[in-house]
Every structure is written in C-alpha cells, then in structure tokens.
Amino acid sequence: MAPKRFNGVGVFPNAVETSAPKKPDPNALYAALDLGTNSCRMLIAQPKGSQFHVVDSFSKSVQLGQGLEKYGRMSRTSMHRTVQAMRVCQQKLARHKVSHMRLVATEACRRASNSRDLIRAVRRETGLTLEIIKPEEEARLAVVSCAPLVSTKTEQLLVVDIGGGSTELVWIDLSNVPSRDRPRAIMRLHAGFKNADSPFPVAKVVDWISVPLGVATLRDQFADVEDDAGRYALMSCCFEENLADFAPYANAQARDGFQIIGTSGTVTTVAASHLGLRRYDRTKVDGLRMSSDQINAVVQGYLDLGPSGRRRDPRIGQDRQALIMSGSAILQALLRVWPTDRLSVADRGLREGLLYAQMSSDGVLEDGPL
C-alpha cells in the first residue's frame, strides 16, 4: 500500500470553534483514549499550569492488528479483548466522574472492513463511543504532544510517531518563530495547521506523510523470512523506500538547528535499553537525547541476542519483544536519511496530544512556559 501524502498544510482539518458561555472549571478531569493496532491506552488528567497532572491511566495489549494484513479484518478474539479493555476504561471514567473525553481509534480501525462492528460492540457493552480519526489528525496530535521537548534552538523539526499499523512524519519550519516562542508555537497547532490569521508567530508545516507501515504491519509483511538479520535488513530497506517522495527529504537539509523527536514504544524501549533500566522509569526516558551511535549499539545488541535472547531480556519485555525489531528497522531508516546524529525521545503521543487539545480549546491551560 502506498503511503498517504498530501501537499502542504491545507490538508489538515480546520479548527472547530465552540462558544464558551461560562468559564471552564479548572478542576474538571479530562480523558484521552487511544485504541491502536496493538494496545488500548487511556489517560485521565487534570489541568495544572501550562501542562497537566495525570490522575489515572490504563494500558492493555489487545492486538487488533493480528491477522489484519492477511485477512483485512479484525479477529473475533482481538475484538473481544478490546471490548474487555474498554469495560475497564468505562469503570475508571465513571469512578473519576470525568466530564471531558475523546476516545479515538487509529490505523487498525481505519483499515479493517469490520471496524463498525467493533464500534457497535463497544457502544453496546460499555456505553462508550469510539471515534475513528484520520491520519492527518493523528499526526497533528502527536506533534502537539511533543511541544515541551522542542528546543529553542530548533529551526527545522521532524516529529515521528511510530505506531502499530502506520508511521506518521511531520516536518515543521520554525525558522521565522522567535527562539523562546518555538515550543509554544508547536502547542498552538492544537487548533489546526492552518493558522494564517493567528496574531502569534506561526510554525509552518512544510509537509507530512503517513506510511502504512508500523511495527505490526511491517513485521507481518516479512514474517516468512526465517533469517533474523536478513529479515531486519529487508524491513529497514522497505521502510526507507516509502520515504523517497517525502518533500523535505528531497532537498539537502542543514544539520545545525535540526531536531528529530521520536514518539513510540520502540523509541522508549531503545532508550530504556541504552540506560540499562531493569524497571522502566518514564522520568529518565522522556526528553532523553540519544546519538545515532548509541541507537545503533542498542539495535546491534538486539540482533546479537537473537529472537530467544530478546524474549528473555527484561529491558524489552514479553509484550514488546515481537515488535522491537520492526520498530528498530523503522528508526534506523529514519536516522540514515536525515541530517542529524541525535534523536529526542518522547514518552508521549496521541493521548497527550488529545489532552492538550481539549484543555487548550477549553482555555484551562495557563499561557506560561512549557
């Protein structure tokens, strides 16, 4: 399947403007749920200054993408796992009396021929309504979530969100935004990528691409290759081929002022392996900057371990071991084709972007430094 790519910023949805008859309650709770190709994850949070404080969270592997590449449908087993996970989420939402929420589904539900059956089952069993969002909105929300990690020295920014079923890349030009305002300019994109009328300096979206290859779909495409190292090389080359027409990649880019931010389970797992963490610690991983040499060393270590060694490695974990090599193949392909030897690690993504967008739209976030 060819990557989905659009020209310029006009492809992004316009901001939805709603009236606010009364001042929002800053003590209200917000929820964001991301039903992806592999996992169902939710955050419940409360606004706090210019950011938010997480009150509760949930994460469960549901493997919606299992068999999707072959049959084009979600299996009954994976749909049942998803409904069970959504029941837990509904209980948490009710217990915390959450008043604002967005519950979204991404690539697996976009591609599956029976996605509407899943949405009806979730509504019937839990009373919750899932919303299938388009790739461009998924990309925009991933960018917004990374705003606090944008350096004031960054002039060209590439945000990469490696999902289970697809990978979104957004290239942003910040060169016309004052240095101190660059993280805030990224946050303002919550209202949409068309900000011509904004009174503030605007971050310019140069181009974006949605590659229909994520950690699950790329793995499944080469599942018949038995040699571990050979399969890895094929996956990495395949992903790089899908980037050939990405507009900013077509022209030489300056190394100075260039930043890549990677957000995914792959990126955080590689970071945790680099740090030698036996137990995952978000405070040590989120915002970490890794060199390409450090990333290459971790990936080579994964290859040296082989499939059985990766299964036993506590830094990878049982849930992640089957997907870590396809994710690493994507990551190394990205670092080969762009002019940087460093990657900023983001333990954040669609859920955080959903929370920032809701809170910013309601005016409950302070306009202070991120």
Side-chain angles (χ1 to χ4, degrees):
M1 186 182 296
K4 303 170 188 175
R5 177 177 171 273
F6 302 85
N7 292 324
V9 301
V11 302
F12 289 92
N14 293 326
V16 177
E17 295 183 1
T18 58
S19 58
K22 59 181 181 179
K23 188 175 180 179
D25 179 7
N27 296 316
L29 294 180
Y30 290 74
L33 183 143
D34 169 18
L35 177 61
T37 303
N38 293 311
S39 303
C40 175
R41 300 183 297 172
M42 183 177 72
L43 287 177
I44 298 175
Q46 183 177 20
K48 184 178 181 182
S50 60
Q51 300 194 47
F52 56 77
H53 167 69
V54 175
V55 174
D56 202 349
S57 64
F58 173 78
S59 180
K60 180 71 175 178
S61 174
V62 294
Q63 300 176 44
L64 270 182
Q66 197 170 51
L68 181 60
E69 191 76 15
K70 184 175 182 180
Y71 301 108
R73 295 172 55 86
M74 295 178 284
S75 69
R76 290 183 178 180
T77 302
S78 63
M79 291 171 68
H80 176 72
R81 284 194 296 262
T82 300
V83 171
Q84 294 298 105
M86 294 294 292
R87 279 201 183 103
V88 178
C89 293
Q90 188 276 331
Q91 292 166 3
K92 286 178 176 286
L93 291 168
R95 184 166 67 249
H96 290 289
K97 300 179 180 179
V98 177
S99 53
H100 308 274
M101 67 185 76
R102 276 195 78 187
L103 318 175
V104 306
T106 55
E107 186 68 9
C109 287
R110 287 195 291 260
R111 293 177 58 184
S113 61
N114 58 341
S115 58
R116 295 298 170 186
D117 295 336
L118 174 63
I119 290 175
R120 282 193 290 266
V122 169
R123 181 65 181 268
R124 183 178 62 250
E125 299 295 329
T126 69
L128 299 176
T129 300
L130 279 169
E131 170 192 0
I132 302 176
I133 61 173
K134 295 180 179 180
E136 52 263 40
E137 183 172 10
E138 183 178 358
R140 174 170 59 86
L141 292 168
V143 169
V144 170
S145 75
C146 294
L149 302 183
V150 175
S151 170
T152 56
K153 297 179 181 179
T154 297
E155 295 188 351
Q156 302 294 324
L157 173 68
L158 177 68
V159 177
V160 181
D161 182 14
I162 306 173
S166 65
T167 299
E168 278 68 46
L169 301 94
V170 183
W171 191 290
I172 300 171
D173 182 357
L174 291 165
S175 59
N176 291 326
V177 180
S179 297
R180 69 179 186 280
D181 200 41
R182 287 171 183 171
R184 179 60 60 186
I186 296 296
M187 178 66 79
R188 293 192 189 105
L189 295 176
H190 78 86
F193 280 17
K194 294 178 68 175
N195 281 317
D197 297 330
S198 173
F200 303 103
V202 175
K204 178 185 176 184
V205 178
V206 179
D207 199 5
W208 81 283
I209 188 173
S210 178
V211 182
L213 293 171
V215 293
T217 47
L218 186 60
R219 176 203 59 186
D220 292 348
Q221 209 169 98
F222 294 92
D224 59 338
V225 180
E226 294 185 3
D227 180 68
D228 190 47
R231 181 171 59 251
Y232 177 80
L234 287 170
M235 290 190 295
S236 192
C237 289
C238 175
F239 189 83
E240 184 174 339
E241 288 174 359
N242 277 269
L243 300 176
D245 294 329
F246 189 38
Y249 169 53
N251 302 307
Q253 299 291 330
R255 182 176 294 265
D256 294 338
F258 182 85
Q259 182 182 9
I260 295 183
I261 299 179
T263 168
S264 71
T266 294
V267 176
T268 56
T269 299
V270 168
S273 295
H274 165 66
L275 294 173
L277 301 180
R278 306 290 289 186
R279 182 184 295 276
Y280 186 79
D281 186 342
R282 183 182 187 275
T283 61
K284 294 181 179 179
V285 170
D286 187 47
L288 178 71
R289 299 190 71 191
M290 292 186 67
S291 70
S292 55
D293 288 343
Q294 290 169 334
I295 293 171
N296 292 339
V298 170
V299 174
Q300 185 59 52
Y302 291 159
L303 286 168
D304 293 342
L305 283 172
S308 59
R310 293 194 294 268
R311 279 192 290 270
R312 295 192 300 268
D313 192 327
R315 301 170 304 171
I316 301 173
Q318 287 294 320
D319 290 342
R320 178 68 39 190
Q321 60 83 21
L323 303 169
I324 189 60
M325 295 316 297
S326 52
S328 296
I330 292 172
L331 185 57
Q332 283 201 311
L334 294 170
L335 291 174
R336 278 200 303 272
V337 298
W338 276 296
T340 183
D341 58 0
R342 291 202 172 270
L343 174 83
S344 299
V345 179
D347 186 350
R348 54 187 70 216
L350 181 55
R351 294 174 302 166
E352 287 82 1
L354 285 164
L355 288 172
Y356 277 131
Q358 290 180 85
M359 293 176 185
S360 295
S361 295
D362 285 353
V364 295
L365 290 179
E366 295 177 5
D367 194 25
L370 292 176

